Each structure stands twice: as C-alpha cells, then as structure tokens.
Amino acid sequence: MIFVVAPLQAVGITAFHLFAIGLLVAIIGSMVIISNSPTALVLMSVALVANIAVFFLRLYYPVPFHLHILAGAWLIIACTLGIVVTQAVFRGGRVTYHRIIGAILLYLLIAVAFATLFAFVGLADPGAIKGITFDDDQSLASALFYMSFVTLTSTGYGDIIPVHPLARSLCNIESVIGQLYPATLLARLVTLEMRDPGQ
C-alpha cells in the first residue's frame, strides 16, 4: 500500500483509493487471524468505515475535514495493527521467519504513524513543512509517506524541510527511533534465532 498504491494515487489513478479500501479489509481479516482482541477489531473497523466515508464524501459532499478524518483513521490503523503485531512478534517462543517479517512490519508502521502526525501538524499550520502542500488531493499521502520514510531512515534528501517546531520535534523523534529500532529490537530477534535455531 505504501510503496505502490499511494504513488499511483499521486499520479491521478483514483481507482487505487478503492483498491486501498480492499487492502484495508484484507489487513483487518489478517489481524483477526493473529489476534482475538475485540477492541482491535472495533478500532480497525472504525478506521475502515472512516476511509469508506471519506471516499464517498469526496464524491458527493465535499467537506473541509476529509484529511483530518483520513489522518485519524490511519493513525488508528497504524497504532492498532502495531500493538497486535508487537504482541505476536515479541511473545515467548521460537523466533521464526514470520516473526522477523512482523518486526519489519512494525518498522514500516512507525513510518505510517509519523506520516499521520505530520499530516495533523501540516493541517494545523499549512506552512509547517516546506515542500508539501496540504491540499485535499491524491498526492498528499505519497508526499507524507515519503517524508516519513526519509526521516525514519535518516536519508534526508533536502527537498522537504520541517519548519514548525512541532514538525521538527517529530522528525527528531522519528529519526532516533529509526536508528535505534533496527539496531536493537530487530537485531535482537535475529540474534536469538542464530543462537538457538533448534528451539
């Protein structure tokens, strides 16, 4: 979704919004399989309904809070899915390939969560992030994901610059997490697997 659907939406292929909703249904189904938490199911369902509502509101009833609703929905998705996956990845037992993939998914969810936080800052102050225009168009999600991943990985191309103090603070937090997460948690899982692969 992050690497294919958002960029294709950014170039103007609107059908991918429906595809994103379909993928969200698949994510909710997968989450139900790995977690028996009714709270997680309710939160993900609320986020799904919000995405569907925004899709139809954009078509028929333009309101100024589309982006706020979407950002809130995706923050709920990132946090809820992150908690469910964290419980599956870091529970006791053998470290498997699937648990390592889950740890990588957590890394990606960190970027999604920060992208939504950047959206809230930019919607509150449109000049908060130089290089991103906070208009209700299809390219905003792609730009926010790009900024978040550039920050998380400390790539920093220089084409997007946080100007607002809150945006800068979020960038600092995300870049520190981006450096510490692979170096500690992900490396710990791999080390445990190498130390005792038979268990």
Side-chain angles (χ1 to χ4, degrees):
M1 248 164 115
I2 296 166
F3 302 117
V4 177
V5 175
L8 288 175
Q9 273 185 295
V11 296
I13 305 173
T14 55
F16 280 96
H17 191 105
L18 285 174
F19 185 69
I21 290 172
L23 281 176
L24 187 54
V25 171
I27 289 169
I28 291 173
S30 302
M31 188 214 55
V32 169
I33 292 170
I34 64 170
S35 171
N36 56 1
S37 169
T39 305
L41 180 60
V42 167
L43 288 171
M44 293 290 277
S45 298
V46 166
L48 173 65
V49 168
N51 272 274
I52 294 169
V54 166
F55 177 77
F56 287 109
L57 284 172
R58 279 180 168 161
L59 293 176
Y60 302 111
Y61 303 103
V63 294
F65 295 108
H66 288 153
L67 296 176
H68 292 84
I69 296 168
L70 278 178
W74 280 99
L75 183 59
I76 290 169
I77 291 166
C79 292
T80 304
L81 192 56
I83 290 168
V84 168
V85 172
T86 298
Q87 291 169 346
V89 167
F90 296 109
R91 68 174 179 245
R94 186 176 179 277
V95 177
T96 64
Y97 167 80
H98 296 289
R99 290 173 74 176
I100 291 173
I101 294 298
I104 294 168
L105 173 61
L106 285 173
Y107 189 69
L108 300 177
L109 287 171
I110 291 168
V112 173
F114 273 94
T116 63
L117 295 175
F118 292 137
F120 283 123
V121 171
L123 291 169
D125 179 0
I129 301 170
K130 199 178 203 180
I132 298 179
T133 306
F134 288 88
D135 295 329
D136 191 4
D137 65 14
Q138 297 176 345
S139 65
L140 181 60
S142 182
L144 289 169
F145 287 143
Y146 169 76
M147 179 189 175
S148 188
F149 277 102
V150 163
T151 304
L152 186 69
T153 59
S154 296
T155 308
Y157 293 114
D159 53 345
I160 297 176
I161 302 164
V163 179
H164 192 278
L166 188 54
R168 288 180 175 177
S169 180
L170 286 171
C171 285
N172 288 336
I173 294 167
E174 186 178 16
S175 63
V176 169
I177 291 171
Q179 296 303 306
L180 292 179
Y181 184 88
T184 56
L185 299 177
L186 203 58
R188 178 70 176 150
L189 282 176
V190 174
T191 304
L192 286 171
E193 175 63 15
M194 290 173 63
R195 182 184 301 161
D196 205 358
Q199 282 189 348

